[in-house]
Every structure is written in C-alpha cells, then in structure tokens.
Amino acid sequence: MALGSLSLAQTKRDEPQKKTIVDEVVWMVGDEPILLSDIEYQKLFARSQGLTFEGDPDCIIPEQIAVQKLFLNQAKIDSIQANDTQVTRMVDMWVQNVISELGSKEKLEEYFNKKIGQIREEQATQVRNEEIVRAMQQKIAQGIQVSPSEISSFYKSI
C-alpha cells in the first residue's frame, strides 16, 4: 500500500490539469522514504545478478531497504563511512561483469533504461551503502563473544 505519491503536473491552456505519477512512497523509515522506484531498481538489479527470492520480492525488498536505512542512520550518527577507492573498484568490476554478460555497454543501458553514468552513480550509492552497513554490523558485533559450547547449546534448544 502506498503512503503517498510524487507527481508532476502537466498543464496546458484551456485544459484541466493532468497529473503523471513519477514515483510512490511505499514506506517511511524515520524521515527517509522508500520509493517504489527503489524497489523496482532492486528487483532489476537482482535479476541482473541471477538472484532469486524466497517469497514475494515486493515484500522482501522493502524490508531489506528499511533495515539498511536503519543501519545507515546509525552509521551516520557514529560517523562511519565507506572507502571511496574500494567503492569505485567494486562498481567498475560490477559494470564490467554485467557488460560481459549482456554483451555491450549499449545493452546494459537498454536493460536498465539509463545511461552508463547514471547506472554507475546508482551502483556506487548502493555499494557505498552496503559497505557502510557492513562496517556498522561489524562495529555492533565486535564486542560479542560466543563460545562453541554456547552455540551448540543454542542449536540443541531449537
């Protein structure tokens, strides 16, 4: 269910105002919206990677994005950032892999219906966010120590 939508008004003289839906806000995480376009891009990206979902991607993907936004918010508070050199290297590798799978840069642009610069920029944002989330998860888990016997006891209990 959409919480709202963003629209552009198209007006002409002597005609009633028409609205074209540009995007929809699906969820809010604090002050951060999760847009329908974010979900659609993630589905397209998953398909490009050959990933499948156990369950409905329209439910799973927004949940994953929401959790990511929570980690990113905490990372911002804790001043955790990603290594830009590593992000650039990962994006370059991803672009080259996808181009080799699809056959050409033009086919990549056609698949995502965007120019290569836009694709790189969106992928860089995604990779940067994933790296920040990973660093935040490591920071949270760094002080946790679990013994092998505790792990064994836990699995026996379930």
Side-chain angles (χ1 to χ4, degrees):
M1 176 170 67
L3 294 175
S5 60
L6 304 173
S7 63
L8 292 176
Q10 297 177 331
T11 58
K12 292 183 181 180
R13 288 190 181 148
D14 304 326
E15 283 189 25
Q17 190 176 39
K18 295 180 185 178
K19 291 185 180 183
T20 302
I21 301 292
V22 174
D23 214 340
E24 291 184 39
V25 175
V26 179
W27 276 9
M28 292 292 294
V29 179
D31 294 335
E32 292 286 321
I34 296 176
L35 302 174
L36 182 59
S37 62
D38 296 335
I39 297 165
E40 293 302 319
Y41 180 81
Q42 288 298 322
K43 285 195 297 192
L44 203 59
F45 175 77
R47 272 189 244 132
S48 78
Q49 298 295 303
L51 302 174
T52 57
F53 295 95
E54 265 187 51
D56 184 359
D58 290 323
C59 294
I60 294 168
I61 291 173
E63 288 175 7
Q64 291 173 342
I65 294 172
V67 169
Q68 183 182 50
K69 285 186 181 286
L70 290 171
F71 277 115
L72 289 171
N73 185 50
Q74 186 61 46
K76 190 184 301 181
I77 292 168
D78 292 352
S79 300
I80 293 175
Q81 296 189 3
N83 179 320
D84 287 336
T85 304
Q86 184 176 354
V87 168
T88 301
R89 187 174 31 242
M90 292 172 78
V91 170
D92 289 344
M93 286 177 21
W94 178 82
V95 168
Q96 289 306 314
N97 286 339
V98 176
I99 287 174
S100 68
E101 288 177 23
L102 295 176
S104 70
K105 180 183 92 167
E106 291 75 22
K107 287 184 180 178
L108 172 64
E109 290 176 334
E110 183 182 321
Y111 182 81
F112 284 102
N113 196 25
K114 296 178 181 182
K115 294 290 183 189
I116 190 76
Q118 291 173 295
I119 296 168
R120 282 182 177 280
E121 187 177 312
E122 289 176 1
Q123 186 63 21
T125 299
Q126 184 171 333
V127 168
R128 183 174 292 105
N129 288 346
E130 288 170 0
E131 290 301 307
I132 291 169
V133 167
R134 190 170 301 131
M136 190 68 228
Q137 289 171 331
Q138 287 174 345
K139 181 180 179 184
I140 290 169
Q142 76 186 17
I144 298 173
Q145 294 181 349
V146 182
S147 70
S149 64
E150 289 173 318
I151 294 171
S152 179
S153 295
F154 172 76
Y155 279 107
K156 287 178 183 176
S157 72
I158 58 172

